[in-house]
RNA sequence: CGGGGCGUGGCGCAGUUCGGUAGCGCGCCUGCUUUGGGAGCAGGAGGUCGCCGGUUCGAAUCCGGCCGCCCCGACCA
């Protein structure tokens, strides 16, 4: 449990990615361990990122016709037990409330691990006719899954997420909904998080407990491991049957509704860190940075300080007026160097320095958190030029982060014929992240590969991600019936 | 649940082998000097050494038991 001294250097990613991650999350003050096993405290800087994610996603859900609602934290045990696959999938990780009000409860409640059961039981009450459909709701909530092993953001016993739950009159409409949301997630990941994601269908072994089909967005982290970043499930009529979610069709027949559910969680914050972070710390895409520009006054004497502090305040206000999230760091007890390190560790995209020398020249210094090919990290320029150019710089950084992440992913992606488990294992050990190969569709092969290489089928890729030439050979031997993407995953 | 590691001021650690009444760095407080890449000096606050029991004149240190946390695997968003 050897940790670097607080406030000093991080373990380099290349030395120990896992240690780097744990350190960077804590040192950037994204989250901290709590007194509750497996549960973290999300600190203001981390929560600020989550709030930005929430806002963007919420707007996208609303734009696609969804509304927010809220359902109870506690779910009657009998509800969870109603759908067979669902209960099998979640039973091992349920936290159960057996006592309340000083008495043992007649029926235990589970703390929701996900809310399908209670939500569809309510939909059953609300839906009578095809005219009541579709129901398109989302909720922002916390859920609890008693995981055996936890990691800050990536897998915590309690986590925050959104879960969308919809009911439709037809199978095709539900299917379309599941795919629409998959697209929303992918767009969000790329446009906001600058995290490229591949989409596709989950194999039977990897699909959601209770779903007919699960779709997922998978992203590749810098260490070559995949992160399931979002899932969208076509639930068919499985839950509708168990909860009596029926409606009368236009033709007068009683029919079961078709459901979908979909979610992304605070895990995305971890994904963001592992996608863009460097050995200095977090690197935030401007669109999700709680503070996009930190303004640092630098001065010696009180007289100097008065001048630079005032100038910093003005620049902060002017940027905020332009819709840019700026913060003037007016703390006098910290040296400039200490502030540089702090804000770089936290990943603020841009910094404006205002010192006595700048004031004399009528200039400011603009510093990038990360600079691209041929870009200076620090540049002096007039205040007007700095203020006017900030938006473009932020936009350019946003683009560059996505390009860089995509380039890393592509460099760590192997496409070609793979005809044995050993070959797949070798590729993974040689640094491959995503390995595309043929698959017969045999779950036995998938299981064997998992045991021997620790890799799983992340997705059966959507059309646009498939290889130009379909693989003919199959990892488990024999012929390929489809193309799949393998990876070791978080 | 298997394997490994660790519990000592807020944080990171030393001290444990060989028992003698707790120390270092960072941080924190006060003052002065400082401030363009983790400031300096001076003074100061802060610890029932994870918990319970045992051995002993005396336990952070030895013995027994328990608890917790972290890391690596299996399970999973």
């Amino acid at each position: 449990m050897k940790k670097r001294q607080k406030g000093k250097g991080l373990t380099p990613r290349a030395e120990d990615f896992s240690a780097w991650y744990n350190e960077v999350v804590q040192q950037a003050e994204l989250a901290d361990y709590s007194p509750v096993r497996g549960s973290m405290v999300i600190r203001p800087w981390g929560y600020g990122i989550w709030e930005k994610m929430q806002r963007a996603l919420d707007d996208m859900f609303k734009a696609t016709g969804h509304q927010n609602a809220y359902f109870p934290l506690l779910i009657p045990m009998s509800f969870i037990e109603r759908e067979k696959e669902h209960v099998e999938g979640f039973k091992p990780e349920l936290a159960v409330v057996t006592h309340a009000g000083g008495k043992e409860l007649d029926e235990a409640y589970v703390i929701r691990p996900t809310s399908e059961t209670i939500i569809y039981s309510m939909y059953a009450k609300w839906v009578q006719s095809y005219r009541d459909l579709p129901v398109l709701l989302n909720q922002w909530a916390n859920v609890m899954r008693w995981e055996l092993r936890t990691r800050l953001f990536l897998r915590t016993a309690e986590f925050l997420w959104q879960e969308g739950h919809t009911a439709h009159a037809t199978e095709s409409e539900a299917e379309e909904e599941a795919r629409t949301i998959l697209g929303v997630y992918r767009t969000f990941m790329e446009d906001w998080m600058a995290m490229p994601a591949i989409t596709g269908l989950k194999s039977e072994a990897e699909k959601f407990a209770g779903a007919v089909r699960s779709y997922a967005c998978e992203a590749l982290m810098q260490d070559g491991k995949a992160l399931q970043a979002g899932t969208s499930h076509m639930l068919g009529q499985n839950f509708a049957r168990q909860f009596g979610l029926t409606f009368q069709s236009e033709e007068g027949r009683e029919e079961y509704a078709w459901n979908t559910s979909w979610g992304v969680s605070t895990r995305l914050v971890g994904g963001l860190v592992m996608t863009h972070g460097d050995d200095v710390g977090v690197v935030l895409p401007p669109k999700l940075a709680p503070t996009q520009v930190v303004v640092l006054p630098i001065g010696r004497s009180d007289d100097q300080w008065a001048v630079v502090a005032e100038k910093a305040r003005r620049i902060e206000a002017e940027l905020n007026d332009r819709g840019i999230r700026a913060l003037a760091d007016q703390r006098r007890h910290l040296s400039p160097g200490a502030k540089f390190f702090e804000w770089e560790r936290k990943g603020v995209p841009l910094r404006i320095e205002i010192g006595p020398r700048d004031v004399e020249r009528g200039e400011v210094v603009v510093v990038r958190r990360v600079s691209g090919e041929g870009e200076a990290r620090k540049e002096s320029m007039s205040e007007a030029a700095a203020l006017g150019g900030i938006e473009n710089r932020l936009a350019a950084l946003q683009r560059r982060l996505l390009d860089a992440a995509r380039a890393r992913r592509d460099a760590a992606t192997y496409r070609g014929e793979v005809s044995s488990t050993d070959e797949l294992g070798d590729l993974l050990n040689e640094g491959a992240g995503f390995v595309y190969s043929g698959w017969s569709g045999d779950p036995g092969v998938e299981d064997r590969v998992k045991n021997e290489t620790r890799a799983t089928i992340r997705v059966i890729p959507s059309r646009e991600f498939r290889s130009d030439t379909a693989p003919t050979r199959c990892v488990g031997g024999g012929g390929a019936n489809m193309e799949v993407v393998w990876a070791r995953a978080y």
Side-chain angles (χ1 to χ4, degrees):
Chain A
M1 199 182 83
K2 197 148 196 161
K3 279 178 198 155
R4 300 282 160 135
Q5 199 160 339
K6 190 179 174 182
K8 298 298 176 188
L10 296 165
T11 299
R13 289 162 298 168
E15 187 183 305
D16 184 345
F17 192 81
S18 188
W20 168 83
Y21 176 81
N22 288 331
E23 289 166 9
V24 80
V25 166
Q26 289 177 88
Q27 290 190 21
E29 296 180 0
L30 299 178
D32 202 356
Y33 294 104
S34 80
V36 182
R37 191 206 75 98
S39 297
M40 65 175 169
V41 174
I42 305 175
R43 302 183 68 178
W45 190 246
Y47 200 80
I49 296 167
W50 177 239
E51 284 180 315
K52 291 280 166 283
M53 290 180 168
Q54 279 186 300
R55 173 66 64 88
L57 284 163
D58 203 62
D59 287 347
M60 294 169 93
F61 298 151
K62 302 270 171 63
T64 44
H66 303 84
Q67 291 180 292
N68 286 329
Y70 186 78
F71 295 83
L73 169 72
L74 300 178
I75 297 177
M77 180 61 99
S78 59
F79 279 38
I80 293 286
E81 287 169 340
R82 231 176 276 184
E83 213 285 336
K84 189 166 160 289
E85 285 187 19
H86 193 62
V87 64
E88 277 175 19
F90 284 105
K91 196 97 191 208
E93 52 196 43
L94 293 179
V96 184
V97 178
T98 57
H99 291 71
K103 287 191 294 195
E104 181 162 5
L105 297 166
D106 290 338
E107 181 184 355
Y109 290 114
V110 306
I111 298 174
R112 63 184 163 216
T114 178
S115 302
E116 276 77 6
T117 56
I118 196 159
I119 289 181
Y120 299 132
S121 77
M122 293 305 296
Y123 285 9
K125 193 171 166 183
W126 300 334
V127 173
Q128 316 293 327
S129 152
Y130 72 94
R131 296 182 205 277
D132 298 324
L133 296 172
V135 183
L136 305 173
L137 298 187
N138 174 66
Q139 81 167 348
W140 291 95
N142 56 341
V143 289
M144 176 160 277
R145 298 180 186 177
W146 210 255
E147 302 288 353
L148 298 177
R149 190 173 151 224
T150 58
R151 302 199 61 191
L152 296 173
F153 287 111
L154 301 175
R155 178 164 295 104
T156 45
E158 179 185 358
F159 57 96
L160 305 184
W161 76 345
Q162 58 70 216
E163 50 180 327
H165 294 274
T166 67
H168 306 264
T170 66
E171 179 175 17
S172 64
E173 198 184 307
E175 176 67 24
E176 190 186 336
E177 167 77 7
R179 291 179 191 227
T180 296
I181 294 299
L182 187 71
V184 165
Y185 285 161
R186 184 198 168 186
T187 300
F188 169 75
M189 289 168 200
E190 297 191 345
D191 290 359
W192 292 79
M193 297 178 67
M195 181 176 83
I198 59 173
T199 60
L201 188 64
K202 284 288 180 183
S203 67
E204 277 297 303
E206 295 282 321
K207 78 171 191 195
F208 177 74
V212 170
R213 272 187 293 284
S214 288
Y215 297 98
C217 291
E218 294 278 334
L220 196 64
M221 304 294 101
Q222 287 184 59
D223 62 345
K225 285 173 77 174
L227 184 76
Q228 179 171 301
T231 49
S232 181
H233 314 292
M234 166 60 175
L235 303 173
Q237 295 173 308
N238 291 348
F239 287 91
R241 284 181 202 282
Q242 298 311 319
F243 290 92
L245 172 47
T246 60
F247 66 97
Q248 201 164 13
S249 70
E250 212 169 342
E251 296 79 28
R253 287 194 304 271
E254 187 183 30
E255 294 181 17
Y256 289 111
W258 299 82
N259 296 117
T260 77
S261 69
W262 27 276
V264 297
S265 73
T266 36
R267 164 178 263 202
L268 290 179
V269 177
L272 196 66
V273 170
M274 292 194 294
T275 298
H276 303 299
D278 61 20
D279 289 345
V280 173
V282 173
V283 174
L284 292 175
K287 284 183 168 187
L288 294 176
T291 296
Q292 296 170 308
V293 182
V294 65
V295 185
L296 292 191
I298 297 164
R300 281 189 203 83
S301 64
D302 287 349
D303 288 351
Q304 272 180 342
W305 184 263
V307 173
V308 293
E310 173 54 24
K311 198 161 179 186
R313 254 190 297 279
R314 251 194 20 252
I315 290 177
E316 175 190 39
E318 184 141 347
L319 287 172
N320 284 329
D321 284 348
R322 296 182 187 213
I324 292 162
R325 296 186 291 276
L327 176 75
D329 186 346
Q330 301 280 5
R331 291 175 295 180
R332 260 201 101 170
H333 66 283
L334 291 182
S335 70
K339 293 181 186 178
F340 297 163
F341 277 87
E342 177 176 334
W343 293 111
E344 284 172 10
R345 180 143 298 168
K346 288 185 166 182
V348 171
L350 291 176
R351 174 170 87 227
I352 295 178
E353 301 174 7
I354 305 156
R357 295 204 297 268
D358 306 309
V359 173
E360 265 171 45
R361 289 190 234 125
E363 292 186 336
V364 298
V365 174
V366 178
V367 186
R368 295 178 164 91
R369 173 62 178 81
V370 290
S371 48
E373 199 85 12
E375 270 181 351
R377 211 169 81 83
K378 295 193 180 195
E379 293 171 273
S380 278
M381 63 187 76
S382 72
E383 187 181 321
L387 290 172
I390 291 289
E391 270 174 331
N392 284 339
R393 279 163 187 264
L394 291 174
L397 175 59
Q398 183 82 30
R399 272 197 309 277
R400 198 166 61 236
L401 289 178
L402 177 61
D403 290 344
R406 193 174 272 137
R408 275 194 300 271
R409 180 195 65 189
D410 291 346
T413 295
Y414 176 86
R415 289 177 193 264
E417 295 288 354
V418 184
S419 48
S420 73
T421 304
D422 286 349
E423 215 175 303
L424 174 60
D426 289 345
L427 285 165
L428 292 165
N429 291 336
E430 285 158 13
F434 285 142
V435 177
Y436 286 67
S437 87
W439 184 44
S440 60
D442 176 7
V445 170
E446 191 181 6
D447 197 46
R448 204 161 64 242
V449 169
K450 186 175 180 180
N451 289 332
E452 289 174 22
T453 69
R454 290 181 10 247
T456 50
I457 295 176
R458 301 320 302 160
V459 283
I460 300 158
S462 306
R463 183 168 304 280
E464 84 174 276
F465 295 103
R466 287 178 208 157
S467 303
D468 296 336
T469 312
T472 56
R473 280 184 273 169
C474 178
V475 163
N481 291 320
M482 65 190 87
E483 184 170 33
V484 295
V485 183
W486 301 91
R488 290 175 180 145
Y490 275 98

